[in-house]
Amino acid sequence: MNRTDEGRPAGTGRTDRARPGAPAYAVVIPTLARDTLADCLAALAAAHGPRPEEIVLVDDRPDPEPHALEHPLTVLGDLRARTAVLTSGGRGPAAARNTGLRAVTTPWVAFLDDDVQVGPHWCEQLTQDLSEAGTDTGAVQGVIAVPLPGERRPTDWERGTAGLARARWITADMAYRTDALEQVAGFDERFTRAFREDADLALRVLDAGWRIRQGRRTTRHPVRPADRWVSLRAQRGNADDALMLRLHGPDWWHKAVAPRGRIRSHLAVTAAGAAACALAAAGRRRAAAVAALGWAAGTAEFAWTRIAPGPRTRDEITTMAVTSVLIPPAATWHWLSGLWRHRAAPAWQEVAR
């Protein structure tokens, strides 16, 4: 990888040489070659400030097409010379970031997602964040901004994405000291989705004695298009919550400053629905009716909780109504399957010892 210092976007007419004493850093971006990647790289190339020593793109598609990333790479300008493209075999973002981590040699590595756009002074602000980090600081988090429509109330999916702006330690923009990552053996590759792998890593880094602080650099995370069933697919994350429970104990939500979610109410609603069906099959109509009423009340409350703050268009109401029926059993299935799948996973403290 070429480590020249004059990397700058072609045609900008400016030079951003590393200042003496500025912390050297690399950027690692796992990608599925989505359309958002070109915008992500263009924003990075245009950002003012000391340039990254290395950029590592990790193609995490199971069977990547040759040359699929050639077009997005053209927006990097002179940064292309210090950019490497690796593959990770479709094992998920945690494994992809570990692949990138093993390739870098700098004392700091900044992880970005392929659907974000760093701010115009991101490189300058990142080096300031890293310069101000004490010797016991293992990571510095960026500020995430999620643009929402101003002419209407946001949809359920848009509100969910906006929650990233309040999330702790998300790797949409997170810079880690390489020594800290090596001490805790990087990301846990059992997290195969872009969910909870960042909180797990941060909790292990904190347990190892490092501090994590909030930086000042800003990165934009647009709301990407999604179909009607995106919230249903998101329930797979309940299996990751089950793994977090095994690794970090029953109070991991509190440790990670993460919303606990509705898994307990989903379990109750699903149990009521299952009981109604079983009682009806057994001929116990009155008991079945009571259970069905509980299921209907829980489902209606969940649907209204999602509909009320939204735009309340016909399409949004239909989506919320249908998915609110399907989400509780889906969440229950993934939660229980995750508990079973990770039943033998030792707690992180046991592994650390």
Side-chain angles (χ1 to χ4, degrees):
M1 194 178 296
N2 188 333
R3 301 173 185 268
T4 60
D5 285 325
E6 49 274 335
R8 61 184 184 277
T12 62
R14 61 182 175 83
T15 300
D16 288 304
R17 296 181 182 275
R19 294 189 308 271
Y25 68 96
V27 173
V28 170
I29 305 174
T31 184
L32 295 174
R34 296 185 290 190
D35 293 340
T36 55
L37 178 61
D39 290 336
C40 174
L41 296 180
L44 178 61
H48 293 264
R51 321 301 282 165
E53 293 290 319
E54 306 162 298
I55 299 174
V56 182
L57 292 182
V58 185
D59 190 336
D60 193 44
R61 292 173 297 169
D63 187 20
E65 302 171 7
H67 316 299
L69 299 183
E70 284 187 358
H71 173 67
L73 288 170
T74 61
V75 304
L76 283 170
D78 291 349
L79 282 180
R80 178 66 181 90
R82 60 180 78 181
T83 300
V85 178
L86 306 177
T87 59
S88 52
R91 294 178 292 129
R97 294 189 187 103
N98 282 342
T99 298
L101 175 62
R102 288 190 291 269
V104 304
T105 59
T106 52
W108 288 91
V109 54
F111 295 103
L112 296 174
D113 287 347
D114 71 351
D115 57 351
V116 304
Q117 299 161 17
V118 300
H121 300 282
W122 186 83
C123 294
E124 180 69 34
Q125 292 169 338
L126 173 62
T127 53
Q128 288 179 347
D129 286 344
L130 303 184
S131 295
E132 295 169 1
T135 55
D136 62 342
T137 298
V140 185
Q141 180 176 351
V143 176
I144 302 298
V146 180
L148 293 176
E151 71 282 1
R152 58 167 173 79
R153 291 191 287 187
T155 65
D156 180 69
W157 170 242
E158 291 167 340
R159 294 193 305 275
T161 304
L164 297 176
R166 302 182 299 273
R168 290 283 190 98
W169 314 318
I170 61 170
T171 41
D173 181 354
M174 190 75 178
Y176 272 97
R177 197 182 292 272
T178 309
D179 287 346
L181 293 174
E182 292 177 350
Q183 183 178 347
V184 301
F187 290 86
D188 188 330
E189 298 183 9
R190 286 173 293 185
F191 292 93
T192 57
R193 286 169 291 274
F195 192 67
R196 302 303 190 204
E197 84 290 355
D198 42 15
D200 165 72
L201 175 63
L203 289 177
R204 289 187 283 115
V205 167
L206 291 170
D207 285 343
W210 297 92
R211 295 173 60 245
I212 298 177
R213 58 180 294 267
Q214 177 68 60
R216 291 192 291 266
R217 67 191 185 278
T218 301
T219 291
R220 183 173 179 266
H221 193 307
V223 180
R224 67 176 185 269
D227 62 31
R228 171 167 289 178
W229 309 110
V230 64
S231 60
L232 187 61
R233 292 193 298 273
Q235 301 313 308
R236 298 169 184 168
N238 284 284
D240 300 307
D241 282 354
L243 178 55
M244 289 291 287
L245 178 66
R246 292 293 305 157
L247 296 176
H248 300 287
D251 61 342
W252 76 263
W253 284 280
H254 175 71
K255 294 177 183 177
V257 196
R260 190 176 179 89
R262 296 180 60 104
I263 186 58
R264 287 178 292 185
S265 63
H266 290 334
L267 290 170
V269 168
T270 302
C277 294
L279 290 167
R284 301 176 60 185
R285 295 183 179 180
R286 182 171 297 179
V290 172
L293 183 61
W295 171 86
T299 301
E301 182 274 332
F302 179 41
W304 179 246
T305 298
R306 302 170 71 207
I307 292 170
R312 305 189 194 179
T313 61
R314 177 179 296 179
D315 184 68
E316 178 73 358
I317 291 173
T318 301
T319 298
M320 294 301 97
V322 172
T323 56
S324 293
V325 171
L326 300 175
I327 282 175
T332 298
W333 167 257
H334 289 296
W335 170 254
L336 295 178
S337 64
L339 288 176
W340 176 257
R341 186 183 318 133
H342 302 301
R343 65 192 181 281
W348 152 246
Q349 288 85 353
E350 297 174 11
V351 175
R353 286 197 296 266

